[in-house]
Amino acid sequence: GVTEQRVYENATNSANSGGLVAHTVAALVLGGATQAMIDAIGDNKPPGCGTQGTTTGSYTDSRGVVKTLNFYRPAGVGIKATVAITALTGYVSDYETELKQSIADAINALAIGDDVLITRLFAPATLNGLDGGKTYNLTDLQIAKLADAPAFADVTIAYTEMATCSVSDITVTVT
């Protein structure tokens, strides 16, 4: 049932820049049963390494020792976008729906911990390779977390988060 996972290890003697404590493993898992994830982490983590996370469970090792292990379920971070286009010959309003879906799909395809890079949204915003994209000119594209003001800037996503986008959070202005 796991649809995505990412594992980080900090084998150093101090916390790293992402906040991972020294000598720990942080597993981020989307989907899957909690106990199955705890067992998989226990079976595969390096010996002597602790675990970080907000989801906790008990693991019994091969010697019968019960250990408490942790992992993270990535927190969804809603992303919004504002798009401005100039209609060209052949433009119909149906293309606005395709444009919104294309941007949302691109953001929702990002992996756990991936930043939302504004320049990576140009191709989806212009319906690159599709006939509809030839009927308008992209004049502005801005993105932000839902609580923030849109800007022409990347959106930073923490290693314990995952960007999500709903079509309803994308606004298109046509001139």
Side-chain angles (χ1 to χ4, degrees), residues 5 19 27 37 43-44 56-58 65 89 92 95 100 104 109 124-125 128 131 135 138 155 157:
Q5 58 79 32
M37 299 308 98
D43 289 345
N44 293 289
T56 301
S58 295
V65 177
T89 303
V92 293
Y95 295 135
K100 288 180 176 183
N128 191 35
D131 288 340
T135 66
L138 177 67
V155 175
I157 302 296

Side-chain angles (χ1 to χ4, degrees), residues 72-118:
Y72 291 102
R73 298 288 188 183
V77 175
I79 303 296
K80 63 185 172 184
T82 60
V83 182
I85 61 173
T86 301
L88 303 174
T89 303
Y91 178 80
V92 293
S93 61
D94 290 348
Y95 295 135
E96 182 178 326
T97 302
E98 287 182 47
L99 181 160
K100 288 180 176 183
Q101 189 65 59
S102 182
I103 292 171
D105 289 348
I107 293 170
N108 291 328
L110 294 171
I112 297 167
D114 282 356
D115 293 337
V116 184
L117 305 177
I118 189 80

